[in-house]
PDB file of all heavy atoms in Angstrom:
ATOM      1  N   PHE A 408       7.355  -1.002  -2.449  1.00 98.00           N
ATOM      2  CA  PHE A 408       6.965   0.281  -1.876  1.00 98.00           C
ATOM      3  C   PHE A 408       8.050   0.766  -0.911  1.00 98.00           C
ATOM      4  O   PHE A 408       8.424   1.936  -0.917  1.00 98.00           O
ATOM      5  CB  PHE A 408       5.619   0.131  -1.154  1.00 98.00           C
ATOM      6  CG  PHE A 408       5.153   1.371  -0.447  1.00 98.00           C
ATOM      7  CD1 PHE A 408       4.443   2.350  -1.119  1.00 98.00           C
ATOM      8  CD2 PHE A 408       5.418   1.564   0.911  1.00 98.00           C
ATOM      9  CE1 PHE A 408       4.005   3.504  -0.467  1.00 98.00           C
ATOM     10  CE2 PHE A 408       4.986   2.704   1.567  1.00 98.00           C
ATOM     11  CZ  PHE A 408       4.283   3.678   0.881  1.00 98.00           C
ATOM     12  N   LYS A 409       8.573  -0.138  -0.086  1.00 98.00           N
ATOM     13  CA  LYS A 409       9.600   0.231   0.892  1.00 98.00           C
ATOM     14  C   LYS A 409      10.918   0.618   0.222  1.00 98.00           C
ATOM     15  O   LYS A 409      11.684   1.411   0.768  1.00 98.00           O
ATOM     16  CB  LYS A 409       9.840  -0.901   1.892  1.00 98.00           C
ATOM     17  CG  LYS A 409       8.707  -1.100   2.882  1.00 98.00           C
ATOM     18  CD  LYS A 409       8.378   0.160   3.669  1.00 98.00           C
ATOM     19  CE  LYS A 409       9.516   0.577   4.579  1.00 98.00           C
ATOM     20  NZ  LYS A 409       9.294   1.875   5.238  1.00 98.00           N
ATOM     21  N   GLN A 410      11.200   0.075  -0.959  1.00 98.00           N
ATOM     22  CA  GLN A 410      12.391   0.506  -1.709  1.00 98.00           C
ATOM     23  C   GLN A 410      12.227   1.955  -2.157  1.00 98.00           C
ATOM     24  O   GLN A 410      13.183   2.718  -2.170  1.00 98.00           O
ATOM     25  CB  GLN A 410      12.617  -0.387  -2.931  1.00 98.00           C
ATOM     26  CG  GLN A 410      13.059  -1.781  -2.601  1.00 98.00           C
ATOM     27  CD  GLN A 410      13.141  -2.664  -3.840  1.00 98.00           C
ATOM     28  OE1 GLN A 410      12.569  -2.351  -4.892  1.00 98.00           O
ATOM     29  NE2 GLN A 410      13.841  -3.771  -3.725  1.00 98.00           N
ATOM     30  N   ILE A 411      11.022   2.311  -2.530  1.00 97.00           N
ATOM     31  CA  ILE A 411      10.729   3.664  -3.013  1.00 97.00           C
ATOM     32  C   ILE A 411      10.581   4.634  -1.844  1.00 97.00           C
ATOM     33  O   ILE A 411      10.998   5.791  -1.929  1.00 97.00           O
ATOM     34  CB  ILE A 411       9.447   3.654  -3.884  1.00 97.00           C
ATOM     35  CG1 ILE A 411       9.649   2.729  -5.094  1.00 97.00           C
ATOM     36  CG2 ILE A 411       9.061   5.056  -4.320  1.00 97.00           C
ATOM     37  CD1 ILE A 411       8.366   2.330  -5.800  1.00 97.00           C
ATOM     38  N   VAL A 412       9.984   4.160  -0.763  1.00 96.00           N
ATOM     39  CA  VAL A 412       9.711   4.995   0.420  1.00 96.00           C
ATOM     40  C   VAL A 412      10.386   4.335   1.639  1.00 96.00           C
ATOM     41  O   VAL A 412       9.716   3.713   2.461  1.00 96.00           O
ATOM     42  CB  VAL A 412       8.191   5.129   0.662  1.00 96.00           C
ATOM     43  CG1 VAL A 412       7.897   6.071   1.817  1.00 96.00           C
ATOM     44  CG2 VAL A 412       7.473   5.592  -0.591  1.00 96.00           C
ATOM     45  N   PRO A 413      11.701   4.464   1.757  1.00 95.00           N
ATOM     46  CA  PRO A 413      12.388   3.796   2.873  1.00 95.00           C
ATOM     47  C   PRO A 413      12.156   4.458   4.236  1.00 95.00           C
ATOM     48  O   PRO A 413      12.288   3.816   5.269  1.00 95.00           O
ATOM     49  CB  PRO A 413      13.864   3.861   2.477  1.00 95.00           C
ATOM     50  CG  PRO A 413      13.968   5.008   1.538  1.00 95.00           C
ATOM     51  CD  PRO A 413      12.635   5.103   0.840  1.00 95.00           C
ATOM     52  N   SER A 414      11.793   5.721   4.241  1.00 95.00           N
ATOM     53  CA  SER A 414      11.595   6.458   5.486  1.00 95.00           C
ATOM     54  C   SER A 414      10.285   6.062   6.159  1.00 95.00           C
ATOM     55  O   SER A 414       9.214   6.140   5.555  1.00 95.00           O
ATOM     56  CB  SER A 414      11.583   7.964   5.197  1.00 95.00           C
ATOM     57  OG  SER A 414      11.004   8.688   6.249  1.00 95.00           O
ATOM     58  N   LYS A 415      10.374   5.647   7.427  1.00 96.00           N
ATOM     59  CA  LYS A 415       9.178   5.254   8.172  1.00 96.00           C
ATOM     60  C   LYS A 415       8.222   6.436   8.330  1.00 96.00           C
ATOM     61  O   LYS A 415       7.006   6.279   8.231  1.00 96.00           O
ATOM     62  CB  LYS A 415       9.586   4.694   9.543  1.00 96.00           C
ATOM     63  CG  LYS A 415       8.486   3.967  10.244  1.00 96.00           C
ATOM     64  CD  LYS A 415       8.135   2.690   9.513  1.00 96.00           C
ATOM     65  CE  LYS A 415       7.204   1.830  10.339  1.00 96.00           C
ATOM     66  NZ  LYS A 415       6.672   0.718   9.580  1.00 96.00           N
ATOM     67  N   SER A 416       8.768   7.633   8.554  1.00 97.00           N
ATOM     68  CA  SER A 416       7.893   8.800   8.735  1.00 97.00           C
ATOM     69  C   SER A 416       7.171   9.149   7.432  1.00 97.00           C
ATOM     70  O   SER A 416       5.989   9.501   7.450  1.00 97.00           O
ATOM     71  CB  SER A 416       8.680  10.004   9.260  1.00 97.00           C
ATOM     72  OG  SER A 416       9.647  10.425   8.333  1.00 97.00           O
ATOM     73  N   GLU A 417       7.864   9.032   6.297  1.00 95.00           N
ATOM     74  CA  GLU A 417       7.200   9.289   5.011  1.00 95.00           C
ATOM     75  C   GLU A 417       6.137   8.224   4.739  1.00 95.00           C
ATOM     76  O   GLU A 417       5.050   8.532   4.238  1.00 95.00           O
ATOM     77  CB  GLU A 417       8.213   9.325   3.863  1.00 95.00           C
ATOM     78  CG  GLU A 417       7.601   9.725   2.547  1.00 95.00           C
ATOM     79  CD  GLU A 417       8.599   9.783   1.390  1.00 95.00           C
ATOM     80  OE1 GLU A 417       9.806   9.531   1.589  1.00 95.00           O
ATOM     81  OE2 GLU A 417       8.154  10.082   0.263  1.00 95.00           O
TER      82      GLU A 417
END
Side-chain angles (χ1 to χ4, degrees):
F408 176 86
K409 288 304 294 173
Q410 290 175 342
I411 300 164
V412 184
S414 162
K415 194 67 170 170
S416 64
E417 186 179 359

